[in-house]
Amino acid sequence: MAFFLMMILAAAVSHADTTHHDQVTKPLHTIYGGPGNDTIMGKTDQNMLYGGPGADVFLVDLTNPSVDTLKDFNPSEGDQVLLYLGDSAIIRDLLLIPRKLDLGNVQIDYKGNVKILLNNNTWLPFLKLNRSDLHMKVEDKSKNVRLIFKKTF
């Protein structure tokens, strides 16, 4: 009887873990831009963002960390990414975000995932570009940080 109960509990835990994993990997919101130049900001949690044609600005709010996915990011159309870091340095400190962002602490990997090296030496992923052919430049303007992506600089 004890073995049977252990098997039921193991199956329940296994099912719970799988369900939780599925919830984490699915985007909660899908947001579409129009045919012109749009400014698109995801909601809380994970977002799937489509800019459409035109020079779109994707605004990523780092005060609510999640991983947004840009499905049709195209810098040759003028698409760009702006990071919002809150209204004060206190927010950066609370979130462990370095006071100055540059290529030493903001990186794009070979899969197009963009991440920040936090003050506690852990990487925080926050954006998926689904492109592996881009290089990045960082312009830190205190409250807003512009990430510029190109195939070459």
Side-chain angles (χ1 to χ4, degrees):
M1 180 71 169
F3 176 75
F4 181 70
L5 282 173
M6 288 175 61
M7 293 301 290
I8 290 174
L9 286 172
V13 168
S14 174
H15 177 69
D17 287 346
T18 302
T19 302
H20 178 70
H21 183 266
D22 289 345
Q23 291 172 349
V24 169
T25 58
K26 292 181 182 176
L28 299 178
H29 307 281
T30 302
I31 300 171
Y32 294 90
N37 302 340
D38 304 304
T39 298
I40 302 167
M41 181 175 181
K43 299 180 180 188
T44 58
D45 300 313
Q46 297 179 16
N47 302 285
M48 185 104 39
L49 307 175
Y50 293 85
D56 302 308
V57 176
F58 295 93
L59 185 58
V60 178
D61 184 356
L62 290 180
T63 64
N64 184 19
S66 64
V67 179
D68 291 336
T69 301
L70 307 185
K71 292 303 284 186
D72 65 344
F73 185 74
N74 189 348
S76 64
E77 285 184 349
D79 289 355
Q80 55 185 299
V81 175
L82 283 179
L83 306 180
Y84 174 71
L85 299 166
D87 292 327
S88 72
I90 295 171
I91 292 176
R92 275 192 178 192
D93 290 343
L94 289 173
L95 297 173
L96 301 173
I97 297 171
R99 294 277 175 133
K100 182 78 175 153
L101 295 178
D102 55 35
L103 288 178
N105 52 23
V106 181
Q107 295 183 357
I108 182 170
D109 68 18
Y110 69 96
K111 292 182 180 179
N113 299 309
V114 185
K115 52 196 172 184
I116 292 177
L117 181 62
L118 300 177
N119 289 334
N120 64 357
N121 290 321
T122 60
W123 286 97
L124 172 71
F126 65 91
L127 189 62
K128 291 182 183 180
L129 296 180
N130 290 331
R131 294 187 61 166
S132 60
D133 61 337
L134 297 175
H135 298 276
M136 181 177 65
K137 183 173 143 184
V138 180
E139 291 180 355
D140 191 336
K141 306 289 185 196
S142 186
K143 287 184 185 178
N144 292 308
V145 175
R146 180 180 314 273
L147 302 181
I148 302 167
F149 296 92
K150 294 183 179 182
K151 288 191 176 191
T152 59
F153 279 99

